[in-house]
Amino acid sequence: MTLYAAIIYSTDVDWSAREQAGEMAEYAAFSTTAAAVLRGGAALYPTATATTVRVTGGKGGEVLSTDGPYAETKEVLTGFFLLECADLDAALALAAQIPAAWNGAVEVRPVIPMGQPS
C-alpha cells in the first residue's frame, strides 16, 4: 500500500464559516466513504491567514516572513487528505469523489514517509 496526498485546490473560502456547512457536509460524506484508506487530512483557513517563510542565503540565513501566500491564483491550496491505496489508479478513483474535483482541482501525489521523532 502506498500513501498518497490528495491536495485540494479550490476558490479561497473560510471552511469554518457557517455558509460552508453544506460543502463541509459533502467532505464529511467523502471521509466516511474513504474511511478504510483515509489516514489524515485537514481543511485550511483562508489564504489571508497564511504567512510565508523564506530563509535567504541558505541554512542559517536571514529569516523573512511575509503575510499571505506567494501566489496570485484563482484556485488556492485549501486542504488535503492522506489516502493509503493499493495503487495510483485507486487513489485517483477516490480523488474523483472529493468535492473539489468537480468545482476546483485535486492533485494526487505519492508521499515519501518522513521519520518520526523518537
Side-chain angles (χ1 to χ4, degrees):
M1 297 288 268
T2 302
L3 196 59
Y4 293 92
I7 305 163
I8 298 167
Y9 293 93
S10 65
T11 55
D12 200 12
V13 296
D14 182 355
W15 295 112
S16 65
R18 185 172 291 178
E19 305 82 55
Q20 298 304 318
E23 194 162 357
M24 285 302 285
E26 291 178 344
Y27 279 95
F30 169 77
S31 295
T32 300
T33 299
V37 298
L38 191 60
R39 299 296 175 257
L44 301 176
Y45 281 97
T47 56
T49 65
T51 302
T52 300
V53 176
R54 294 181 190 272
V55 178
T56 61
K59 186 176 181 180
E62 180 182 3
V63 177
L64 302 173
S65 298
T66 56
D67 292 340
Y70 242 112
E72 291 186 25
T73 61
K74 179 181 167 200
E75 296 170 341
V76 297
L77 174 62
T78 56
F80 64 92
F81 287 103
L82 290 176
L83 308 169
E84 188 172 21
C85 298
D87 56 33
L88 179 60
D89 289 339
L92 294 176
L94 272 174
Q97 298 176 48
I98 296 173
W102 56 80
N103 59 20
V106 178
E107 178 182 325
V108 176
R109 286 197 215 180
V111 172
I112 300 170
M114 303 288 278
Q116 298 294 318
S118 54

